[in-house]
Amino acid sequence: MKFIAFNVREDEEKYFAQWEKETGNEVLRLPDMLDMSSVKKIEGFDGVLALQTGTYPDEMFTEFKKFGVKVFSIRNVGVDNINLEAAKKNGVVVTNVPAYSPNAIAEFSVTQLMQLLRNTTIFRNKVAKQDFRWAPYVGKELRSLTVGVVGTGRIGRAAIDIYRGFGAKVIAYDLYPNPELKKQGIYVDSYDELFSQADVITLHMPATPNDYHLISTENLNKMKDGSYIINTARGALVDTKALITALKSGKLAGAALDTYENESDIFNHDLSNQEIKDETFKELLSLDNVLVTPHVAFYTETAVKNMVLIALNSAKSVCEDGTASTVVK
Ligand code: COI
């Protein structure tokens, strides 16, 4: 079988090569994004692999049908950028990688919070200027805080374990509570309860139209003064302008954002010699109580390996058996 993979990075190369050797199948690897100008390259292949947070237009799946390609395997978990109906209508089976490494994302989100709590960016900047004084940047310890986890799927649960290890009090909200966690009494009954009780809100949920701008001015006002927001989930969950206002007023003490609502033209691009045109994003970067990272919470050796191998096995399985355990329904 012959597959074509888009957005392939150097660090993924060895896993593609390993899989080709082990299975005897071929994979053409391209650095290009999959979009309406590159989609014609899929002609003649049995399946397509891609990884990106940008949107795939519905017409892309008409092209899949035209070229007789029946499987689209994404090397990541989120499918909020794919119209599954459009794929289905064109006979395309979509697979994802539901659990490449929940720990990778959970560990990163905790790391970012710890940096905010101990003012590490501020101290790094001060030390660079040879200012070695301490005050007034006294830190906070996790065991003195209540962490509110939104979303208790695999990533949220991994985060809960880590926070408990640090001695934090953890509360959680999920529309679909996990039975094991429910027995432990970790859940509150509403967002309002979570927002009013937590010192830290950490987001570990997919983006759905219902949760668009969950972190809004209205909800920020329900939070404790001096609280923290951690978003390693999806940019669309946070109203960035409202967040900036809350950070500037002191309502929020800090935020760590590994996703941004308009990230697709910014993250994973080298813009070092260009002016960033997005004024909201520029303002975010200028704040010293914000940590911005370019959607790298997932980016560990374990995760990258699993993303490549699981996506390839899914594509192969759909071609051979018409389905895979990772088919997105
Ligand atoms: C995901 O797996 O959905 C992520 O957010 C990772 C990203 C590289 C697309």
Side-chain angles (χ1 to χ4, degrees):
M1 273 175 285
K2 273 169 60 187
F3 298 96
I4 180 166
F6 290 84
N7 320 94
V8 176
R9 305 178 310 272
E10 237 175 83
D11 55 85
E12 295 178 299
E13 182 55 40
K14 60 177 182 248
Y15 306 118
F16 279 105
Q18 172 193 332
W19 189 83
E20 279 186 320
K21 207 165 149 200
E22 280 169 13
T23 66
N25 295 295
E26 267 176 55
V27 190
L28 175 67
R29 276 93 85 179
L30 302 175
D32 322 31
M33 297 272 278
L34 175 60
D35 55 28
M36 287 312 287
S37 64
S38 61
V39 69
K40 54 184 177 297
K41 296 185 179 171
I42 72 175
E43 184 172 10
F45 289 92
D46 297 296
V48 176
L49 285 91
L51 170 141
Q52 69 197 48
T53 51
T55 316
Y56 298 102
D58 295 359
E59 313 86 71
M60 178 104 65
F61 295 109
T62 323
E63 297 297 296
F64 272 59
K65 187 174 180 184
K66 186 169 106 193
F67 295 123
V69 177
K70 293 198 168 55
V71 56
F72 180 39
S73 293
I74 55 165
R75 308 197 291 286
N76 59 285
V77 56
V79 290
D80 47 305
N81 52 346
I82 300 174
N83 182 341
L84 296 170
E85 274 309 306
K88 197 170 163 191
K89 223 172 74 195
N90 288 287
V92 179
V93 175
V94 177
T95 69
N96 71 345
V97 185
Y100 45 81
S101 178
N103 247 45
I105 296 149
E107 280 180 15
F108 190 83
S109 62
V110 179
T111 304
Q112 296 304 85
L113 174 63
M114 302 283 269
Q115 292 204 62
L116 289 172
L117 295 178
R118 302 306 295 268
N119 302 307
T120 55
T121 309
I122 292 169
F123 281 116
R124 201 174 304 125
N125 293 341
K126 277 160 60 69
V127 167
K129 291 187 208 143
Q130 301 190 22
D131 175 355
F132 301 111
R133 291 169 299 171
W134 306 337
Y137 301 105
V138 60
K140 289 189 169 76
E141 293 179 35
L142 263 175
R143 62 183 54 243
S144 69
L145 302 176
T146 299
V147 178
V149 176
V150 185
T152 53
R154 294 181 182 90
I155 300 169
R157 293 205 299 277
I160 288 169
D161 285 347
I162 300 172
Y163 280 122
R164 283 176 161 168
F166 277 108
K169 176 177 175 191
V170 184
I171 56 174
Y173 181 75
D174 197 314
L175 265 185
Y176 306 99
N178 172 275
E180 199 48 48
L181 287 178
K182 199 168 178 178
K183 273 191 233 150
Q184 297 167 19
I186 196 172
Y187 289 108
V188 292
D189 294 327
S190 65
Y191 276 129
D192 282 7
E193 273 185 67
L194 190 97
F195 292 148
S196 63
Q197 291 176 29
D199 301 292
V200 177
I201 304 289
T202 183
L203 304 175
H204 299 291
M205 65 213 274
T208 65
N210 286 345
D211 296 308
Y212 177 72
H213 282 183
L214 171 71
I215 305 301
S216 59
T217 302
E218 193 187 341
N219 283 335
L220 282 159
N221 286 337
K222 294 173 189 163
M223 293 175 196
K224 285 188 181 178
D225 289 345
S227 48
Y228 296 83
I229 303 268
I230 311 295
N231 186 12
T232 53
R234 281 293 181 265
L237 298 170
V238 175
D239 176 344
T240 313
K241 287 196 170 115
L243 184 92
I244 290 173
T245 305
L247 285 159
K248 282 177 148 177
S249 71
K251 175 73 194 170
L252 286 181
L257 308 173
D258 188 52
T259 55
Y260 170 60
E261 50 188 326
N262 300 312
E263 72 181 47
S264 60
D265 292 333
I266 302 176
F267 289 176
N268 207 12
H269 295 284
D270 180 3
L271 304 183
S272 48
N273 293 318
Q274 286 175 44
E275 203 199 319
I276 294 173
K277 295 198 180 75
D278 181 333
E279 293 302 322
T280 308
F281 186 70
K282 269 170 45 181
E283 191 167 9
L284 211 49
L285 293 183
S286 73
L287 301 175
D288 67 3
N289 53 351
V290 179
L291 296 177
V292 175
T293 45
H295 209 134
V296 288
F298 81 99
Y299 197 39
T300 66
E301 288 171 4
T302 307
V304 171
K305 179 178 180 184
N306 288 336
M307 288 162 117
V308 172
L309 297 182
I310 295 171
L312 284 168
N313 286 333
S314 301
K316 177 171 170 280
S317 168
V318 173
C319 288
E320 285 173 352
D321 309 324
T323 191
S325 59
T326 50
V327 169
V328 185
K329 304 240 166 59

